[in-house]
Each structure stands twice: as C-alpha cells, then as structure tokens.
Amino acid sequence: MYITTLLTNPETPCLDAAAVEALRNAWGGGDAQWLAPDVAAEFPMATVPENRWQVWEDMQALGVDLVVQPAEGRKKKMLLADMDSTMIGQECIDELADVAGVGARVKEITARAMNGELGFDGALRERVGLLKGLDAGVIDRVFEERISFTPGGKVLLATMKANGGYAALVSGGFTAFTEKVAAALGFDEHRANTLVVEDGKLTGVPGEPILGREAKIAALREISARLGITPAEVMAVGDGANDLGMLELAGAGVALHAKPSVAAQCDLRINHGDLTALLFLQGYACDEFVGV
C-alpha cells in the first residue's frame, strides 16, 4: 500500500479540493483525508502510478508538492537534519564572508559545492581560508542579525519529540552556529565543523577532520544504532550534494527546497511547503502538531 500526499505552503494555502479528488479518481485511490484545510491532503493507493512524475511536474506549476511513498512505517523515530538552507534560510559561511568583504567569491564556491561540482572538503578549506583574520565576535553578530529560521522547524521537532522521536542536527557548517540553532529549535544533539580561533580571530583553517558527506552518513548510522533503531526509521532532510548520502540511507530522505541536481536524485521533494511538510509526509494532521 502507498500513500499520496499533496501539500503546499501554509503561508499561501492553495490546495484545491477538486484537484485532490480528480487525482484520487484518476489514480484509483481510496478516500482522501485532509491533514490541514487547503494545505495538505492524502489518499491511499495499491500501486505507484506510471505517470507519477508527469503529474508531479503539473502540480509543481500549481505550487503544490506531490509525494508518493510506502504507507508502512512512515512515522519516523528520528529526524536527522542539515542546517544551512534547511533548518535556517542562509548559508552561515556566506554571511560571514559577506561581513569579511569576500562574499561574492565565497558564495560562488558554496553554490558549486552544494551542486556537487566541487569536492566538499576542499571547498570548505578554501572558503574558511578567505575568512582568515576575521574577528571571532562577528559570529554572534551574524547569528543575531542575519540568520532566520525556516518556518515550521520548531513545530516539526516538538511534534516528533512529543511522539517519542529524537532529533539530531548534522551540518557541514560550524559548531559556532549549530549550537545556537540546536538550542533554539530543540535538537537533542548537533555535529558540525569547527572554526579555529587564535587571539580572538579566525585562523583561516577549519578544525580536522572535516565533517562532510561521509560524516553525515556515519552520524546517521551511529546515532540510530545508539538509539536501537534502524536507518529505515529515520527521516533525513537536506538541500545540498553533501546531504545525498544520508538522504539515500534514511528510510525517508527529503530534499527540501534543494538544488535541482540534488532533488533529481530524491523521491521525496518539497519545493513549496515549509518544514511542517515533513510532518504531513508522516501522516500527522495539523491538529496533532505540538507547539503551534
């Protein structure tokens, strides 16, 4: 049995009941259940339709995300999340670089790395090198003035944790930011790279070893084993090429507002919804959300 979920941005709800019923009829699905009025609905099906991705394209044009996934085991016991451009709306290193006066160069490297055009480790070292001499106090200022949380993050964590879930933040960014984001959103633990500071200034060298794609996979395996669960019971979310490994290994790997080259390799793609989309995908209705 499979579940088809249709959802849109809660800020601009535009899911039409007639469209949901038309698709349900065309695909021979069971009764539709509304998870949130005008925002999210789902219905069961016996098989995956052959025209799934063509319909997905059509729905994208309407501002609607469409996901088809197995019905069994879709409520997950752990969330493993990327930070930059996933739990927050920015790339922290790009914001630091902007303050340091090297923003354009660093953003270019970041974009190429997230698209998978550059090796993550080398790209990180090059970008951190451009920050050499930056006052470490800038980190707090950047967090306070430039970083915004992706809508729905707190509700996502609060709801999953209220239902026995565990939440880990695993970032190719820096602990100077993950510790703040983890505390603000309610993550149980966080892992990231470190910025080496001497005499109050960044040295231009990241701490070793570099946490990239393989480290995210290792974190998924290590944390799930510690919790006594399998990777199949994990929902992972990210947007960049260095997230693909954990997205492929997790039972539900969600490409959230991801780079096109990344989204193309994932079955669960959210381009319009916010982080509460991850709750709808698990079958939670809006009246089950915690911390709203």
Side-chain angles (χ1 to χ4, degrees), residues 179-223:
E179 64 184 3
K180 299 176 190 297
V181 172
L185 296 180
F187 280 95
D188 295 295
E189 66 177 272
H190 66 96
R191 301 183 184 188
N193 292 300
T194 56
L195 288 167
V196 180
V197 177
E198 289 181 3
D199 300 323
K201 297 186 183 301
L202 303 189
T203 64
V205 178
E208 298 287 345
I210 300 293
L211 191 157
R213 176 178 172 138
E214 294 306 315
K216 292 191 176 193
I217 297 171
L220 194 162
R221 289 194 170 118
E222 291 167 12
I223 298 170

Side-chain angles (χ1 to χ4, degrees), residues 26-27 36 46 81 90 103 124 135 139-140 160 162 181 184 201 208 216 224 238 240 250 258 271 273:
W27 280 358
Q90 296 75 28
L124 184 74
D135 191 306
I139 294 172
D140 287 341
M160 287 189 68
V181 172
K201 297 186 183 301
E208 298 287 345
K216 292 191 176 193
S224 58
N271 292 325

Side-chain angles (χ1 to χ4, degrees), residues 61-189:
L62 300 174
V64 174
D65 291 315
L66 180 152
V67 171
V68 179
Q69 61 178 323
E72 186 177 351
R74 64 184 175 129
K75 270 195 169 70
K76 301 304 181 185
K77 296 180 180 179
M78 173 178 152
L79 173 71
L80 188 69
D82 171 51
M83 179 178 71
D84 296 276
S85 299
T86 299
M87 299 308 301
I88 61 174
Q90 296 75 28
E91 296 283 335
C92 291
I93 195 166
D94 290 358
E95 300 303 320
L96 288 173
D98 200 36
V99 174
V102 290
R105 175 66 181 135
V106 167
K107 283 178 182 177
E108 176 194 354
I109 300 169
T110 298
R112 293 182 64 197
M114 291 303 99
N115 278 323
E117 298 169 26
L118 296 174
F120 182 81
D121 290 18
L124 184 74
R125 288 191 177 92
E126 183 178 356
R127 288 176 292 168
V128 172
L130 292 168
L131 300 179
K132 184 177 180 178
L134 186 65
D135 191 306
V138 167
I139 294 172
D140 287 341
R141 195 170 89 232
V142 164
F143 182 78
E144 293 298 330
E145 298 177 0
R146 290 172 171 254
I147 302 304
S148 60
F149 294 104
T150 303
K154 264 194 170 181
V155 172
L156 168 62
L157 266 71
T159 303
M160 287 189 68
K161 290 175 69 173
N163 285 274
Y166 188 86
L169 184 66
V170 183
S171 173
F174 307 107
T175 54
F177 291 98
T178 58
E179 64 184 3
K180 299 176 190 297
V181 172
L185 296 180
F187 280 95
D188 295 295
E189 66 177 272

Side-chain angles (χ1 to χ4, degrees), residues 3-33:
I3 295 288
T4 292
T5 307
L6 295 154
L7 61 93
T8 189
N9 185 348
E11 294 296 314
T12 55
C14 63
L15 187 57
D16 181 64
V20 173
E21 285 303 311
L23 183 61
R24 183 189 71 80
N25 287 331
W27 280 358
D31 291 344
Q33 303 292 323

